[in-house]
Amino acid sequence: MTVKTLERQDIVDFLYTEAKILDEWRLLDWAALFTDDGTYVVPPIGEPEAIPTKSLYYIHDNRSRLQERAERLLKKEAHVEYPHSTTTRNYHNILVSDIESDVITVECNFTTHRTKREVVDTFIGKIKYEIVRENDRLAIQRKKVVLNLDSLRPHGKISLIL
């Protein structure tokens, strides 16, 4: 069996697929993009290198917690996201490093526009991924979202997956 050589465009397409899955609210499919030891983290604004045991992260999920988050957001009982927001995600300035290694590092800027109840929120920042090849597919081992905002206005919360 020949293993396909990965190219930069394969990684970019993978990120665009993740964005499409999230915009379509296919959150269980999104969770399935992660490895069994995958993590999804959003550190506090202004503290991208904060230590999780000493700082309050907006999100600090291991694989089982991100699965639970996806399941919970799909329920009608998740009032803050029911009916679901409409979102549009854009990933840009995508830099792919270490494509030949076991762990591929990807950094990009992102913009997520969210509309709900006639209000538009915009989240901007940087995402750092660690992507691996697992069972002949790409998988996210780590996703770290660093928000480039002064604050979360007006309600100070993140109710969707960035």
Side-chain angles (χ1 to χ4, degrees), residues 75-91:
K75 293 180 180 178
K76 287 183 181 181
E77 292 81 11
H79 300 290
V80 72
E81 279 302 331
Y82 191 84
H84 302 313
S85 300
T86 301
T87 60
T88 301
R89 287 170 177 76
N90 292 291
Y91 296 161

Side-chain angles (χ1 to χ4, degrees), residues 80-113:
V80 72
E81 279 302 331
Y82 191 84
H84 302 313
S85 300
T86 301
T87 60
T88 301
R89 287 170 177 76
N90 292 291
Y91 296 161
H92 32 276
N93 297 351
I94 300 170
L95 299 173
V96 179
S97 305
D98 307 318
I99 199 161
E100 300 292 329
S101 70
D102 292 339
V103 179
I104 302 161
T105 302
V106 181
E107 294 183 60
C108 66
N109 294 332
F110 79 93
T111 307
T112 299
H113 300 284

Side-chain angles (χ1 to χ4, degrees), residues 47 55 66 68 82 88 114 119 130 147 156:
E47 299 181 58
S55 296
L66 69 89
E68 291 167 4
Y82 191 84
T88 301
R114 168 191 185 247
V119 174
E130 292 177 6
L147 292 166

Side-chain angles (χ1 to χ4, degrees), residues 44-142:
I45 289 174
E47 299 181 58
E49 301 305 320
I51 299 168
T53 56
K54 296 183 179 188
S55 296
L56 183 61
Y57 270 52
Y58 290 107
I59 299 169
H60 196 275
D61 290 353
N62 62 19
R63 179 62 178 81
S64 66
R65 284 189 55 115
L66 69 89
Q67 178 75 30
E68 291 167 4
R69 180 181 304 277
E71 292 170 1
R72 187 172 55 254
L73 285 170
L74 290 172
K75 293 180 180 178
K76 287 183 181 181
E77 292 81 11
H79 300 290
V80 72
E81 279 302 331
Y82 191 84
H84 302 313
S85 300
T86 301
T87 60
T88 301
R89 287 170 177 76
N90 292 291
Y91 296 161
H92 32 276
N93 297 351
I94 300 170
L95 299 173
V96 179
S97 305
D98 307 318
I99 199 161
E100 300 292 329
S101 70
D102 292 339
V103 179
I104 302 161
T105 302
V106 181
E107 294 183 60
C108 66
N109 294 332
F110 79 93
T111 307
T112 299
H113 300 284
R114 168 191 185 247
T115 182
K116 176 105 172 162
R117 297 184 182 100
E118 300 180 15
V119 174
V120 177
D121 295 313
T122 301
F123 298 90
I124 60 171
K126 297 183 181 301
I127 303 176
K128 183 172 183 180
Y129 291 91
E130 292 177 6
I131 297 173
V132 297
R133 188 180 274 189
E134 182 180 80
N135 300 324
D136 211 25
R137 71 176 185 110
L138 293 174
I140 301 168
Q141 190 170 57
R142 179 172 169 83

